[in-house]
Amino acid sequence: MTAWRQAIELAIGEKDLAALGAIARSRTEPASRVERARMLLAYREDPSFFAVAQDMGVHHQTVQRCVERALAYGPMVALGDRPRPGKEPTITAEAKAWVVNLACRKAKELGYPHELWTTRLLARHAREQGPAEGHGCLAKLAQGTLCNILNAQEIKPHKVRYYLERRDPQFKQKMAEVLCVYRQVKLIKEAAAAAKQKPSDAVAIVSYDEKPGIQALATTAPDLPPEPGKHATFARDHEYKRYGTVSLLAGIDLLTGQVHALVKDRHRSCEFIELLKLIDAAYPTHTAIKLILDNHSAHISKETRAWLADQPAGRFEFVFTPTHGSWLNLIEGFFSKLARSVLRYIRVESKQELKDRIMAAMDEFNRHPVVHTWSYKLDQAA
């Protein structure tokens, strides 16, 4: 005669009880977890496998297994499925390591015209060359299996992410010099604000750079204006005509916000010297002019050095940003503003019109000057 099943005492802590209640009421949890949570809560109220099974419409052994798992592993673990043995993996660890090593090399190194692997190409190469390398398990390697192997190692051999190599051995020293100049600007501004006066003209600090390759583009059909209820934006034909490019040479005074600028077809030493003459004429003869600029060849050429040698001692001082450190130059923020507010979508009828409109924009900026301020890592200046 079969013995009666005895009720199993199921103790659930307050924390687990609250979690089970939340899962049992959830509309987003998987249905199996919700059902098992309700089983455990129902069994806690009425410790009878048959009663809970009849109430929930399942077999009593289903309830019994759920309760036994909760006793053995805990109520939260009992909500999930137990891991199944599954099929034994056929691709060995050595074969996976060989595939990963292969993925870390460029496809062109193995005679392919591709620069990088595609997952299809890599899977095919592994199928063809794997058995010869002693990995016969790769003879039927599928592309999806290959992706799983690569994903497990977080490798994406079909993608490129760019980085910037720091080639200047004196990067930190030069950065500190630039930051010291920015700190000098800050101190001058604070002293002028405390005295309720304009900054002294004893020194002028100018952030300078070139913006080359500004395209002079013309439309081939008229732009269509917005129409309420029909077209929210200007409409422009995709065709355009090129007139060439121009270069903007600009320096912004970090104390006053004044912009000194020239627009030329090129930006050689002679154009740079012309801009220096423009800056020289803009300040009194006793003003010491500091320029923050990059390492462009025009800034250190023989012509530029010869012109500087003819200037009064202490008139010009160059502070160079480190190689690949042009982001340290405040003028880049001004160029970004110019590109967004003036140059984006600009269309002209000639290269000269582009030059005139850029210089008109410089005049507009100078009518309402904005003093640019640097704050990032300023406390690290030596």
Side-chain angles (χ1 to χ4, degrees):
M1 184 176 178
T2 305
W4 290 95
R5 288 183 176 86
Q6 294 182 353
I8 301 174
E9 183 179 353
L10 178 62
I12 302 177
E14 293 184 1
K15 183 177 180 181
D16 289 340
L17 192 62
L20 289 173
I23 295 173
R25 297 187 300 271
S26 174
R27 294 176 176 268
T28 57
E29 287 279 351
S32 60
R33 287 174 56 84
V34 173
E35 183 181 56
R36 289 164 186 166
R38 289 175 179 173
M39 282 183 193
L40 295 178
L41 292 174
Y43 185 83
R44 183 175 177 272
E45 297 296 329
D46 183 7
S48 169
F49 301 137
F50 289 95
V52 174
Q54 187 176 11
D55 184 56
M56 299 193 65
V58 297
H59 197 277
H60 66 85
Q61 290 182 351
T62 303
V63 180
Q64 183 177 351
R65 285 194 297 267
C66 182
V67 173
E68 290 175 348
R69 287 194 63 209
L71 287 172
Y73 306 108
M76 302 309 297
V77 176
L79 302 183
D81 293 326
R82 287 182 294 181
R84 289 167 172 75
K87 185 180 177 181
E88 288 293 331
T90 57
I91 300 178
T92 63
E94 293 77 8
K96 292 181 180 179
W98 181 78
V99 170
V100 171
N101 179 265
L102 196 65
C104 293
R105 301 172 62 187
K106 286 189 174 182
K108 68 175 184 178
E109 297 176 6
L110 298 173
Y112 292 101
H114 309 67
E115 178 72 13
L116 301 177
W117 293 107
T118 63
T119 53
R120 186 183 301 275
L121 177 63
L122 182 55
R124 190 183 74 195
H125 181 87
R127 286 194 300 268
E128 294 174 352
Q129 303 299 326
E133 296 290 334
H135 307 295
C137 56
L138 297 176
K140 296 183 179 181
L141 178 67
Q143 184 180 359
T145 305
L146 170 73
C147 292
N148 291 336
I149 295 173
L150 298 181
N151 290 338
Q153 300 296 324
E154 298 183 355
I155 294 177
K156 301 182 184 297
H158 57 289
K159 292 187 176 182
V160 172
R161 187 176 68 179
Y162 290 91
Y163 75 99
L164 184 62
E165 183 179 356
R166 185 172 292 182
R167 294 190 175 94
D168 194 336
Q170 298 179 324
F171 189 95
K172 291 185 177 180
Q173 177 183 344
K174 293 179 179 178
M175 180 178 71
E177 292 175 0
V178 175
L179 295 181
C180 282
V181 176
Y182 290 149
R183 189 170 66 177
Q184 181 184 2
V185 172
K186 180 181 179 181
L187 294 176
I188 293 175
K189 290 178 181 178
E190 290 176 350
K196 297 182 180 180
Q197 298 176 353
K198 292 183 177 180
S200 170
D201 62 358
V203 62
I205 301 175
V206 179
S207 176
Y208 168 84
D209 202 2
E210 297 94 4
K211 186 175 180 62
I214 304 175
Q215 295 190 79
L217 302 178
T219 57
T220 57
D223 287 346
L224 304 180
E227 293 185 28
K230 292 185 177 181
H231 306 288
T233 66
F234 279 93
R236 173 172 292 170
D237 189 85
H238 291 283
E239 298 280 342
Y240 56 86
K241 184 177 180 181
R242 296 178 184 271
Y243 289 115
T245 61
V246 300
S247 293
L248 169 64
L249 296 80
I252 183 168
D253 191 312
L254 300 183
L255 295 173
T256 65
Q258 192 78 9
V259 180
H260 311 283
L262 290 174
V263 183
K264 298 292 182 179
D265 292 335
R266 302 173 67 181
H267 55 286
R268 301 163 296 178
S269 298
C270 56
E271 285 84 11
F272 178 56
I273 292 173
E274 185 177 350
L275 193 280
L276 290 178
K277 291 179 180 178
L278 180 68
I279 295 175
D280 182 52
Y283 295 98
T285 55
H286 64 273
T287 301
I289 304 173
K290 281 188 178 181
L291 260 74
I292 302 172
L293 66 173
D294 61 19
N295 297 272
H296 191 279
S297 59
H299 306 162
I300 54 176
S301 65
K302 292 181 180 179
E303 295 87 344
T304 301
R305 292 200 303 268
W307 185 86
L308 290 173
D310 292 337
Q311 305 310 306
R315 177 60 167 174
F316 282 94
E317 179 185 350
F318 287 3
V319 179
F320 293 100
T321 59
T323 305
H324 288 175
S326 59
W327 56 273
L328 284 165
N329 204 338
L330 257 175
I331 190 71
E332 299 296 339
F334 172 76
F335 283 161
S336 175
K337 177 183 178 181
L338 176 69
R340 287 180 280 110
S341 60
V342 178
L343 300 180
R344 182 184 294 178
Y345 308 126
I346 193 169
R347 293 295 184 265
V348 294
E349 294 300 325
S350 66
K351 186 187 288 188
Q352 185 59 46
E353 182 187 345
L354 177 61
K355 293 179 179 179
D356 294 341
R357 290 179 64 179
I358 293 176
M359 290 307 299
M362 299 300 110
D363 293 338
E364 181 67 21
F365 287 135
N366 284 333
R367 276 193 290 271
H368 308 281
V370 175
V371 179
H372 291 241
T373 303
W374 183 278
S375 58
Y376 179 65
K377 289 190 176 182
L378 195 59
D379 57 338
Q380 297 183 17

